[in-house]
Amino acid sequence: MLASCMLHGGTLPSLPSPPLFFLRTRTLSLPFSCRGTLLSESAERPRWNRFYLHSLSARRTLLRVAESSEVTENVEEESSSAPLKHSIKIPVGDRHILVETGHIGRQASASVTVTDGETIVYTSVCLADVPSEPCDFFPLSVFYQERLSAAGRTSGGFFKREGRAKDHEVLICRLIDRPLRPTMPKGFYHETQILSWVYSYDGIHSPDCLAVTAAGIAVALSEVPNTKIVAGVRMGLIGDKFVVNPTTNEMESSELDLMLAGTDSAILMIEGFCNFLTEEKLLKAVEIGHVAVRDICREVETLVKMCGKPKMVEAIKLPPDELYRHVEDISGYELVNALQISSKIPRRKALSVLEEKVISILTEKGYVAKDQVSGTTDVVNDKCDNEDEDEDEEVVSDGEVDEGDVHIKPARKPIPLLFSEVDVKLVFKEVTSKFLRKRIVEGGRRSDGRIPSEIRSINAQCGVLPRAHGSALFTRGETQSLAVVTLGDKQMAQRIDNLVDTEEAKRFYLQYLFPPSCVGEVGRIGAPNRREIGHGMLAERALEPILPSEEDFPYTVRVESTITESNGSSSMASVCGGCLALLDAGVPVKCSVAGIAMGLVLDTEEFGGDGTPLILSDISGSEDASGDMDLKVAGNENGITAFQMDIKTAGITLPVMEKALVQAKDGRSHVLYEMLKCSPPPSKKLSKYAPLIHVMKVKPEKIHLIIGSGGKKVKSIIEETGVEGIETQDDGIVKITARDLSSLEKSKAIIANLTMVPTVGDIFRDCEIKSIAPYGVFVEIAPGREGLCHISELSSEWLAKAEDVGL
C-alpha cells in the first residue's frame, strides 16, 4: 500500500511523528528518519519506530523511483540491456578456437575468453589513468594463473587457495610478455597490466598457447597503442608430421615442443626443446607455425574493426628530436673511446661518467648548439641582405648608404637549451646503442675487439669442490658459471602440483642463481625472480635429453648453477658448466652438449653497411642490450636440444633465422671442442660421498612382506641396517639407498631372505630352532620364514624323539 500510494502521487496515511513525506514533481521531500535514522526514542510509540525500520527498503526504493525522468529512463535502459557479445571462430590446425569479448570484464580496457575444446582462458588488459615516470622500458606486468578448480581439483597442500605463482605459471607469464614488448611504442608510459586465468581445462587442449593468443587479442582490442596484433601457437612433431596446437596425448609422442609467437609479417618469439632436432626441421616447424599465426592475426583484425577501442596515440610522449643531435655533439669522441674499452666494468664506469657529464650540461648548465650564434657578430653584405635589415642595424659609414656598403648586426646572446633529466637519460642510452652498432657494422669489430663470428676465450675446470658429488667451473670471457651436481634418491625429487602436468615429481631439475655480485653491483637476495626461473628452465631442458633413463641410472639429479661473473650468455654458460658437472659426478650422459647466444644488427644500411643483417656469435651484455635479437641455442654437432629467441624490433624473417642457426651450429662445435680441454678433466665416476642406490626385483606379491603392517617391517630394516631409505613399487621394484656398502649389503640380505621362495634341493645352514615337535623341529630358514626339519633328517640313526638328537 505504501508503494502504490506514493507512485500515484498521493500521501502516506496520516501518521503521528515522525513527519510525513510527499512525492512531488521531480523531487521527493523526506524526513531524516527515512534514511535509516530514528528520531524518536520514546518507549510510548515503539510500533511506529518498528514501522519505519521495516519500511526502510520500501522507502529506499521510492527514492530511486523518484529521480528525474531522464535518469529513470537511463536506468531502465541499462537494466534491460544484456551484455553485447562479439565472437569469432578461428581455424587453428585441425580445429577451431572460439574468441569472445564484451560479455565478461566490461570495465577493463579489454577482455576476452578463448576456448579450445573445453579449455577456456580468460584474459583482461587494464591501463593506469595517469602515466608513470618515463623509463627505458614499457611498464607492462603479466600475471597468469591456472585455477585447479578448472579441472575439478584443489591443492593437495595445507593451503587450498591459489597463492604465489608456480614456476610453470611464471614461465607462461614470460611467454606472454616477451612477444608483446616489441610491438609497444616508445614513449607510452601508462602502466599496463595483463591478467590471465584458466577457468576450464579438459586435459586435452593445453592452455598456455591459448593464453599467448588471448593476451595478444586483448591488447589489440584495448586502448594500448601497439603496432601489431600478436598471436601464438604450439608446434609438435609426431613422426614426420608437424602439428599445430597438438593435444596433450599427441605431445607424449612428439619429438618437438615449440612455442611460437609473432605477427602477420614477422616472428617475435620462439622457445622450446627437442631431442637433437636438426636446424632444417626446426626451421620447417617455425615456418608452418608462422602460417598459423598469420591466419589468426588476420581473423582478429576483423574483430578489432568490429569492437576495438580507439588507441591512445596522443599519450605517446617522445624526447625532442633535437636532443638526439645535442647528445651526440656533447658525447662525441668520448663515447666512441668509451665503447672501445674491452673490459665490462671499466667500460661501464666510463659510460657512467660520460652520462653524468651530458646530464649536467643539458639539465643544469644549459647547452648552446653549434649552429647557434655564439658571441660573434655577423658581417652581412648590404647588396645581398638589404631586405633583411631592421631598425637595429648600424651603418659603418656616415651619410647615405651606398650600394655595396657593409652592415654589422649587433651580437645577440644565445639562449642555453635545457631538457629534462629523464629525456636526456633515455636519449643517451639510444645514442650509445647507435654508436655501438655503428662501430660493429662500419669497423667490423665489437667492443672487445672480436669479429662478428668470433667466440670469447673458454676455460673449464672440474672437481673444484671436493665434497660435492660433481662440480665444474666454466668461464667464457667475462661470463662464469659454477655448476654443482647433487645425487639422491626419490625423496630428493622435485614435487609438482600443476594443472597440466600429470607427473608427481621430477627426477632431474636445474636451479639457476644470478646474484648481484656477478655484475659488480649491490642488490636484493631472496626468492628467485622470473628471469632466474626462465634461464634455469632453459638450461634444464637443454641437458635433459642427454640424461640416462631411470632404469640405467636410478638417481635423482639436481644441478645448481651459480653465476659468479656475467657479461652475456649466462644461461648458455650454465648448460656448458652443467654438462661438465654431470660428467664429473659420474652420470652416464649420452653425449656432451653446449650452448651459445647469438645477436643481430638488422638494419646495417643505416650504419654504412649493405643492408644485409649482421649475425653476432656469443654476444656480450652490451650487445644483447643494444642488438635486435637474442637467440640462445643448445645442443651438439648433430642437433638441437633447446632454444629461445627474443626479438627487440618488429620481428625477423625465416632467412635471417636460418642464417643465425647455421652460425650457431658452428659456434656450438667450437665450444664443445674447447670443453674437451677441461683441466682437470671430469672424473666420470661416482663420488665417494654420493649415496649408493641398489635396485632389486622381487615378486610383486612379496612386496607386502617388506613393508609389513603399517610399514613396521621396512622401518625396522632401516633402523637395523642403517640405510637411508627403502623405496618399494607395486611392480616389485625395490630401491635401497645407503651411504656405505656394508649397510647396503645387510639390507639386501634381509630383503632377499624375506622375499625368497624355497625350492627343492636348497640347503640352509646355521638355522635357528624355533620350536620342537614329536615329529621334528621347526627352524627359521629366513627372517620370518620357518620350515620343518623331519626327525628322520636330524640324525643318521633312529630317534625316538627330536630332543634325543643332542644326546
Side-chain angles (χ1 to χ4, degrees), residues 20-45:
L20 302 180
F21 57 95
F22 301 88
L23 179 64
R24 298 176 181 172
T25 305
R26 293 182 179 265
T27 60
L28 184 65
S29 177
L30 296 174
F32 196 72
S33 61
C34 291
R35 302 177 191 139
T37 304
L38 297 177
L39 298 182
S40 173
E41 297 181 359
S42 173
E44 297 178 359
R45 294 174 294 178

Side-chain angles (χ1 to χ4, degrees), residues 385-429:
D385 298 316
N386 190 42
E387 67 273 14
D388 295 330
E389 296 177 8
D390 54 29
E391 58 187 12
D392 293 330
E393 290 178 344
E394 297 180 2
V395 181
V396 175
S397 59
D398 294 331
E400 296 180 358
V401 179
D402 295 330
E403 184 176 352
D405 287 341
V406 176
H407 290 203
I408 300 178
K409 294 184 179 180
R412 296 173 180 171
K413 188 176 181 180
I415 301 175
L417 301 176
L418 294 174
F419 300 89
S420 69
E421 182 176 345
V422 173
D423 285 346
V424 175
K425 286 184 176 181
L426 293 175
V427 172
F428 182 82
K429 182 176 180 180

Side-chain angles (χ1 to χ4, degrees), residues 222-255:
S222 71
E223 300 155 298
V224 179
N226 64 317
T227 56
K228 287 282 189 175
I229 298 173
V230 176
V233 296
R234 167 178 267 112
M235 293 298 300
L237 177 58
I238 303 169
D240 294 329
K241 181 182 179 182
F242 291 98
V243 182
V244 180
N245 281 3
T247 63
T248 53
N249 293 332
E250 290 173 331
M251 284 303 300
E252 291 179 0
S253 57
S254 176
E255 298 180 26

Side-chain angles (χ1 to χ4, degrees), residues 287-559:
E287 180 181 1
I288 296 175
H290 188 230
V291 172
V293 167
R294 186 185 301 124
D295 294 340
I296 295 174
C297 293
R298 290 174 179 172
E299 292 290 339
V300 173
E301 285 180 5
T302 305
L303 184 65
V304 173
K305 292 177 182 178
M306 185 189 311
C307 56
K309 292 185 178 179
K311 299 296 184 179
M312 295 174 58
V313 181
E314 69 283 352
I316 299 176
K317 305 297 181 184
L318 295 173
D321 293 337
E322 62 272 16
L323 182 56
Y324 291 85
R325 187 176 69 256
H326 299 333
V327 171
E328 291 182 11
D329 292 341
I330 297 172
S331 54
Y333 291 106
E334 292 184 62
L335 181 56
V336 174
N337 294 332
L339 292 175
Q340 292 177 353
I341 301 174
S342 59
S343 299
K344 175 183 175 180
I345 299 300
R347 181 173 64 249
R348 187 180 67 188
K349 291 182 178 180
L351 290 174
S352 179
V353 171
L354 180 57
E355 182 183 23
E356 290 299 323
K357 173 185 174 182
V358 173
I359 292 174
S360 175
I361 293 174
L362 290 175
T363 63
E364 298 175 7
K365 301 177 182 179
Y367 177 69
V368 179
K370 294 180 180 179
D371 54 355
Q372 282 188 277
V373 179
S374 55
T376 60
T377 58
D378 290 341
V379 179
V380 183
N381 190 299
D382 177 67
K383 184 176 181 180
C384 299
D385 298 316
N386 190 42
E387 67 273 14
D388 295 330
E389 296 177 8
D390 54 29
E391 58 187 12
D392 293 330
E393 290 178 344
E394 297 180 2
V395 181
V396 175
S397 59
D398 294 331
E400 296 180 358
V401 179
D402 295 330
E403 184 176 352
D405 287 341
V406 176
H407 290 203
I408 300 178
K409 294 184 179 180
R412 296 173 180 171
K413 188 176 181 180
I415 301 175
L417 301 176
L418 294 174
F419 300 89
S420 69
E421 182 176 345
V422 173
D423 285 346
V424 175
K425 286 184 176 181
L426 293 175
V427 172
F428 182 82
K429 182 176 180 180
E430 291 189 35
V431 171
T432 302
S433 175
K434 176 183 175 181
F435 274 49
L436 178 62
R437 293 153 67 95
K438 185 177 180 179
R439 168 180 165 79
I440 296 173
V441 175
E442 284 187 351
R445 293 285 175 177
R446 296 147 77 172
S447 292
D448 51 8
R450 290 181 293 152
I451 62 174
S453 60
E454 188 176 351
I455 297 173
R456 292 170 288 183
S457 60
I458 295 175
N459 178 268
Q461 306 173 50
C462 283
V464 293
L465 303 176
R467 297 288 297 195
H469 299 163
S471 61
L473 183 65
F474 179 84
T475 307
R476 178 165 50 194
E478 293 180 303
T479 297
Q480 187 179 75
S481 168
L482 177 62
V484 181
V485 170
T486 306
L487 304 177
D489 59 2
K490 188 177 181 181
Q491 299 298 321
M492 201 182 79
Q494 176 69 58
R495 295 187 60 188
I496 298 175
D497 188 19
N498 288 340
L499 176 65
V500 177
D501 294 327
T502 55
E503 58 178 340
E504 295 181 358
K506 291 168 59 175
R507 59 178 291 264
F508 169 68
Y509 52 96
L510 186 147
Q511 296 171 335
Y512 169 96
L513 180 63
F514 191 89
S517 61
C518 70
V519 290
E521 296 178 353
V522 176
R524 183 187 65 87
I525 290 291
N529 55 38
R530 293 188 173 189
R531 179 182 176 277
E532 291 176 311
I533 293 173
H535 280 43
M537 181 55 66
L538 178 62
E540 177 183 314
R541 288 172 171 174
L543 293 172
E544 193 169 10
I546 69 173
L547 293 178
S549 64
E550 188 174 2
E551 290 75 18
D552 296 332
F553 193 72
Y555 288 86
T556 295
V557 182
R558 174 185 183 239
V559 179

Side-chain angles (χ1 to χ4, degrees), residues 573-625:
S574 299
V575 174
C576 301
C579 179
L580 292 172
L582 288 171
L583 289 169
D584 189 57
V587 179
V589 297
K590 299 174 183 176
C591 61
S592 295
V593 293
I596 189 170
M598 312 297 293
L600 171 69
V601 179
L602 191 60
D603 188 10
T604 58
E605 192 173 0
E606 179 185 353
F607 308 107
D610 58 0
T612 304
L614 183 62
I615 308 296
L616 307 177
S617 296
D618 184 26
I619 56 175
S620 62
S622 59
E623 292 166 345
D624 184 6

